[in-house]
Amino acid sequence: MSRTRHIRGNRLATAGLAATAATLLATALSPVAHAEGRPTRATAVQHAASALVDHATALGLTSAENTAVRDVVIDPDGTQHVRYDRTYHELPVLGGDFVVHLAADGTYRGASRATKGTVSLPSTTPRLSAPKAADLAVNALRAANPGAHLRQAKAKPELVVDALHGVPRLAWRTNAAGLDSLGNPVARTVLTDARTGARIDAWDSIETATGDGASLYSGTVGLETTQSGSAYQLKDPTRGNTYTGDAANKTDLCILGICFSRAPATLFTDADNHWGTGTTADRSTAAVDAQYGTDETWDYYKNVHGRNGIAGDGKGSYNRVHYGSNYNNAFWDDSCFCMTYGDGDGTTFGPLVALDVAGHEMTHGVTSKSAALTYSGESGGLNEATSDILGTMVEWYAANPADPGDYLIGEKIVRSGFGGTALRYMDKPSKDGNSADCWSSSVGNLDVHYSSGVANHFAYLLAEGSGAKTVGGVAYNSPTCNNSTVAGIGHDKVGKIWYRALTVYMTSSTNYAGARTATLNAAKDLYGSGSTEYNAVAAAWSAVNVN
C-alpha cells in the first residue's frame, strides 16, 4: 500500500561531505524558541541532525544517502526520539529506516535500526525493465486471486533498494491492483530483484479486518456534528473535521496511487440532528457506527497516548460506508487517509462498522505513520497484531455497555454462516482454526492475520494472565507454550507498553524477537527495569516461545 509520510523533514545529505556536515551542525546549533524545560519538535530534529553527522558510521550513513524525518516523539521528561527514512542515490531504501534516541539535553543515546550494515550497490541501473516488472506483478496478483476474474488490472513499479531481505540489492517494488468479478478491489505488492527478475517477496496491499460498528452495535451514542443552514452534517469539527460519507454501493481503485474510478463519499446530512434508527433499513445507521468508531479511536489515542489524530497532526480522516455489493471487508487506505466499510453479505458478516474493527483499521494508519511494519513475514503479523491489540484497547477505552471491552476481534459482525463467534480470539488464537498460539521458526510463513496470533496471545497473557477465568462476563482459557503460569498487569498498561514500543522502538523490519526487545524497552521506560511490569513482559513473551 502506498504511504503518505508524516512530518517530512528537510532532506539531509549525510556523512562524508564536509560542507554538508558543517551545514547540519550550523542548523543543529542555531537558536530555536521552545517551551521552558521541554524541547520542541524543531529542536529535536536539530539535535538529531547533529547526531547524524557525529554517528554516521554507527548509523550506516554514507555520502550516497539522504534522510527524511518521518516522525518525532518527545517524552514528558524531554527525551527525544526522531524517526528517519533514508534514500540511496534518491531511491527509497526498504529497511533503511531508523530511530535516533536523544536525552533531554539533545545528547545522543543510541539508535534503533531496521537493518544493520551499509548500503552499497555496484549500479542503480536495472537490468529488468519497468514494464516487465509490472507484468510480473500483475501475474502475481492473478495467481493470488484464482477464480476472481480480475479486470482493470494494472501495476505501478517503483525502483527501490531492498535492505530487508539480506544483502542490499536493487529491486522493483510494484503495486498491482484490480477489480474482482463483484467490482471489489484486490491489490498486491510484489518485490522483484531488478537485476535477475527473481521474486523477493509479495504481500496483500489492502490491510483488512472484518467488523461492524456503532448504532447498529453500540446503542445510542453522542455525536459532534456541523450545522449547515437548517441541516446538520455528519462532520466533527472537534476531531479534525472527521466525517462520514455514503459510497452508494460503488467501488473504487484509488489505492496504491493507481486510480481507475472512485466511489463517492457523499457527506451524510440530517434535518434534526438525530441520526439513524438502529437498523440497516436506514442508510445513516451504519454511518453513525463509523463516525462513533472514529471518535472513540481519536479520543483513545489523544487522551491515553497524547497523539493528536491518526497522523499526530490534528487532521481528521474520513469514512465511507455502504461500499461495494455485499462487501465482506473493511480497510484503511493511506492514499485517501480514509476508512472504508462494506455492508457484508448478511450470511457471513453484517455491516463491518463495529467499534473494534474501526479501532483496528485506523491503527493501521498509526502504524504507517510510525514503525511502518512491513506487511509480510513476522513484521506483517506484528502489523496486524498491533491493530488487534490497540483496536481492542479502543473498545476497552470506550466502555460502552452495548459493546463492552473484550479480547475477541469482530464478535459483533459475524453471522451464523461464519462458523464461529468472532474473527479472532486473543486468549487462544488457534480457536479460529488457523492462527498460531506460539512462536516457531515457520510462523512468518503464515498469512499475516494468522501469524498475528503470537502477539495477540502475548498481549492477552500480559493483560489477564494464564488459565481459565471470566472477564467482563466472557469466559477465557489461555494456555502457555512453556507450561508456565503468567500473572497479568491489566489491559491499560498493555496498551501503553505496546504503543510506546510501536512509536519509539519498532522499525519496518521488526520481527518477534525484536518486538520482545522493543516492549521490554518500553516497559523499562514507563515502569523501570526490573519492575513488575518489566518482568511480566518478559514472562509473557517466554510463555509464547519468544525468548
Side-chain angles (χ1 to χ4, degrees), residues 32-117:
V32 176
H34 61 279
E36 184 66 31
R38 179 168 175 158
T40 65
R41 175 191 175 278
T43 56
V45 170
Q46 291 179 354
H47 292 151
S50 180
L52 294 192
V53 176
D54 294 341
H55 302 277
T57 300
L59 295 169
L61 294 169
T62 70
S63 59
E65 299 177 19
N66 288 339
T67 60
V69 175
R70 186 199 304 169
D71 198 12
V72 177
V73 174
I74 301 175
D75 297 338
D77 66 357
T79 302
Q80 302 144 53
H81 313 273
V82 182
R83 185 181 295 271
Y84 285 93
D85 292 306
R86 81 173 80 196
T87 59
Y88 176 82
H89 289 300
E90 304 301 319
L91 300 178
V93 179
L94 308 186
D97 53 302
F98 59 96
V99 186
V100 172
H101 306 294
L102 305 162
D105 62 359
T107 56
Y108 179 77
R109 280 187 170 180
S112 300
R113 294 179 58 186
T115 54
K116 307 300 182 185

Side-chain angles (χ1 to χ4, degrees), residues 322-486:
H322 306 303
Y323 180 87
S325 174
N326 298 325
Y327 188 54
N328 278 332
N329 232 326
F331 60 89
W332 169 268
D333 183 356
D334 279 339
S335 69
C336 64
F337 202 67
C338 69
M339 263 298 306
T340 301
Y341 299 92
D343 289 325
D345 59 11
T347 301
T348 309
F349 298 107
L352 287 99
V353 289
L355 178 58
D356 58 353
V357 174
H360 173 110
E361 295 302 340
M362 294 178 71
T363 296
H364 278 306
V366 174
T367 298
S368 77
K369 298 297 184 287
S370 54
L373 288 157
T374 301
Y375 206 61
S376 65
E378 292 189 18
S379 299
L382 286 165
N383 189 315
E384 276 297 317
T386 293
S387 284
D388 280 350
I389 293 166
L390 294 177
T392 292
M393 298 307 149
V394 170
E395 191 177 61
W396 281 107
Y397 170 84
N400 187 313
D403 186 10
D406 53 48
Y407 298 98
L408 308 174
I409 308 299
E411 75 281 359
K412 286 288 188 179
I413 64 170
V414 297
R415 298 293 182 263
S416 58
F418 178 69
T421 57
L423 287 173
R424 289 184 287 282
Y425 308 84
M426 297 180 73
D427 64 323
K428 188 177 182 182
S430 61
K431 286 167 63 175
D432 67 11
N434 294 294
S435 293
D437 292 335
C438 310
W439 182 87
S440 70
S441 59
S442 63
V443 77
N445 298 326
L446 296 176
D447 178 278
V448 294
H449 294 88
Y450 305 143
S451 60
S452 65
V454 178
N456 283 347
H457 192 191
F458 156 81
Y460 175 86
L461 289 170
L462 184 59
E464 302 295 343
S466 56
K469 61 193 65 182
T470 299
V471 181
V474 180
Y476 303 98
N477 192 356
S478 190
T480 59
C481 307
N482 61 356
N483 296 318
S484 64
T485 299
V486 176

